[in-house]
């Protein structure tokens, strides 16, 4: 019976069965109490600490972001723009969030006026145009993934959408490269934190312990569970190996192209690997819902990852790509190559000899 409770709780709360087992054991099998224990173990806050240096320009800086699960804006958002690269390098990112934030806060208490303050405000404004908290919400579903280093470009983007570090690094790097028009070296660290742990440092961050999420969960429980983003898209066509759209079923995989070019669409595209190096790329999704419409049309909802969906309107008999492209190379047999190489000079020689004989006959 306990195994059944663990599985049900894991599916309900979208956590691993190991975590659900800990909660059920701690709650002595009481499902309601186990739910509360799981809620206490799932992080509600994400801290992102960034240090960056422009390769060719004497520009560098620090960025601090704090976002909360289910919240559409940042709780804290600070940015420093500096020409003193040595000073920036002296501050590591792999420190507790409160320590990193206090470094930035101290900087601004010393820079109350002047060009450095103006530059920092300008950079923050430029970042705000390209990044919003909603685009980072799905990272909360990856909180239990181990921290990893950057992943090589040779690995397809669809295979690394569950790696938090590379996702944030790629997003921040490209964002800063657009702002500074230069190659940017980024060093970053991130921390997920539960509500209980957050309360221990909230005062150090200058925040009230009564958080926005507590109010949000009372006023709008559905919103508090996490934002759901739906983007418009279209199926990728594969005229050779594709499957007719009307034959697709729920839980089938299919490749789609995101058509939403809004600010949010671009931000989400960067996070899920659909937008890289200034180009839109297809992403592999799982079909969640299929609705048959009039006029041989079908409406599909496909899930990219937790909380992110692509809505597609398609006609029947469109051949949809549902498998990765593979490049097939047909090897040429050695015997065939040898045959072609041996007979071609012979044929050319015969033609030349005939031409000479015809010419001699005419002259004589």
């Amino acid at each position: 019976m306990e195994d059944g409770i663990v599985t049900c709780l894991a599916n309900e709360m979208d956590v691993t069965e190991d975590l659900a087992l800990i909660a059920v054991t701690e709650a002595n099998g009481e499902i309601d109490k186990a739910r509360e224990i799981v809620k206490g173990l799932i992080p509600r806050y994400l801290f992102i600490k960034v240090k960056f240096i422009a390769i060719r320009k004497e520009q560098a800086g620090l960025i601090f972001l704090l976002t909360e699960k289910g919240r559409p804006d940042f709780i804290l958002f600070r940015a420093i723009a500096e020409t003193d690269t040595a000073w920036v390098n002296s501050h590591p990112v792999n420190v507790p969030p409160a320590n990193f934030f206090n470094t930035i806060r101290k900087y601004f208490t010393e820079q109350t006026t002047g060009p450095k303050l103006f530059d920092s405000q300008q950079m923050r404004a430029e970042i705000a145009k390209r990044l919003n908290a909603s685009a980072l919400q799905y990272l909360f579903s990856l909180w239990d993934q181990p921290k990893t280093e950057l992943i090589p470009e040779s690995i397809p983007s669809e295979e690394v959408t569950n790696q938090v570090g590379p996702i944030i690094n790629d997003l921040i790097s490209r964002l800063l490269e657009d702002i500074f028009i230069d190659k940017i070296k980024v060093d970053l660290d991130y921390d997920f934190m539960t509500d209980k742990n957050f309360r221990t440092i909230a005062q150090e961050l200058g925040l009230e312990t009564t958080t926005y999420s507590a109010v949000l969960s009372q006023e709008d429980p559905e919103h508090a569970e996490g934002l759901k983003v739906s983007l418009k898209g279209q199926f990728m066509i594969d005229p050779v190996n594709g499957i007719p759209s009307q034959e697709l079923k729920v839980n089938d995989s299919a490749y789609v192209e995101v058509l939403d070019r809004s600010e949010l669409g671009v931000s989400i595209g960067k996070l899920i690997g659909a937008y890289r190096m200034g180009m839109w790329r297809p992403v592999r999704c799982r079909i969640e819902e299929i609705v048959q419409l009039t006029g041989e049309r079908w409406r599909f909802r496909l899930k990219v990852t937790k909380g992110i969906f692509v809505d597609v309107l398609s006609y029947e008999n469109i051949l949809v790509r549902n498998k990765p492209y593979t490049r097939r190379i047909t090897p040429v047999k050695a015997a065939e190559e040898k045959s072609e190489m041996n007979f071609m000079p012979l044929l050319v020689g015969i033609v030349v000899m005939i031409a000479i004989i015809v010419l001699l006959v005419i002259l004589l």
Side-chain angles (χ1 to χ4, degrees), residues 164-190:
V164 179
I167 289 172
I168 300 175
N169 192 298
D170 185 70
L171 179 66
I172 297 295
S173 297
R174 300 186 188 286
L175 183 152
L176 293 174
E177 286 172 1
D178 288 343
I179 293 174
F180 290 102
I181 314 178
D182 191 9
K183 187 68 177 177
I184 302 293
K185 179 184 177 183
V186 171
D187 186 14
L188 65 81
D189 189 31
Y190 65 91

Side-chain angles (χ1 to χ4, degrees), residues 181-345:
I181 314 178
D182 191 9
K183 187 68 177 177
I184 302 293
K185 179 184 177 183
V186 171
D187 186 14
L188 65 81
D189 189 31
Y190 65 91
D191 298 283
F192 287 103
M193 194 170 289
T194 63
D195 186 59
K196 181 179 179 181
N197 291 336
F198 177 78
R199 292 182 182 186
T200 64
I201 69 166
Q203 190 172 1
E204 294 183 66
L205 299 171
L207 300 171
E208 297 291 337
T209 54
T210 302
T211 63
Y212 177 86
S213 62
V215 177
L216 183 63
S217 61
Q218 295 174 2
E219 296 180 352
D220 189 353
E222 183 177 352
H223 191 181
E225 293 177 0
L227 298 180
K228 292 184 178 180
V229 180
S230 295
L231 306 174
K232 291 184 179 180
Q234 66 182 11
F235 282 129
M236 294 299 298
I237 307 302
D238 186 348
V240 178
N241 300 311
I243 179 173
S245 59
Q246 69 271 20
E247 295 183 12
L248 292 170
K249 300 178 178 61
V250 173
N251 291 325
D252 283 353
S253 294
Y255 282 84
V256 301
E257 178 186 2
V258 176
L259 298 179
D260 190 336
R261 301 297 192 259
S262 65
E263 180 181 338
L264 177 60
V266 172
S267 297
I268 294 294
K270 290 179 179 179
L271 288 171
I272 63 177
Y275 185 77
R276 294 172 64 86
M277 301 179 69
M279 297 178 60
W280 288 91
R281 306 182 181 188
V283 289
R284 190 177 186 182
C285 310
R286 182 172 58 83
I287 297 175
E288 287 271 305
E289 180 183 339
I290 303 175
V291 178
Q292 185 173 7
L293 307 175
T294 59
E296 298 184 342
R297 296 182 305 161
W298 297 75
R299 186 175 67 241
F300 298 82
R301 167 156 287 192
L302 299 97
K303 182 178 181 180
V304 183
T305 187
K306 184 177 180 181
I308 300 179
F309 302 87
V310 178
D311 291 329
V312 173
L313 184 65
S314 176
Y315 286 93
E316 291 185 358
N317 297 317
I318 291 178
L319 297 179
V320 179
R321 174 186 169 193
N322 67 331
K323 296 179 180 179
Y325 285 133
T326 56
R327 184 173 61 182
R328 296 181 179 179
I329 300 176
T330 304
V332 180
K333 295 182 180 179
E336 293 176 351
E337 290 183 351
K338 185 175 181 181
S339 175
E340 288 183 1
M341 291 178 65
N342 288 340
F343 282 103
M344 283 304 296

Side-chain angles (χ1 to χ4, degrees), residues 58 87 106 153 157 238 269 272 347:
E58 292 184 357
W87 180 86
K106 181 180 178 182
E153 288 284 339
S157 59
D238 186 348
I272 63 177
L347 291 174

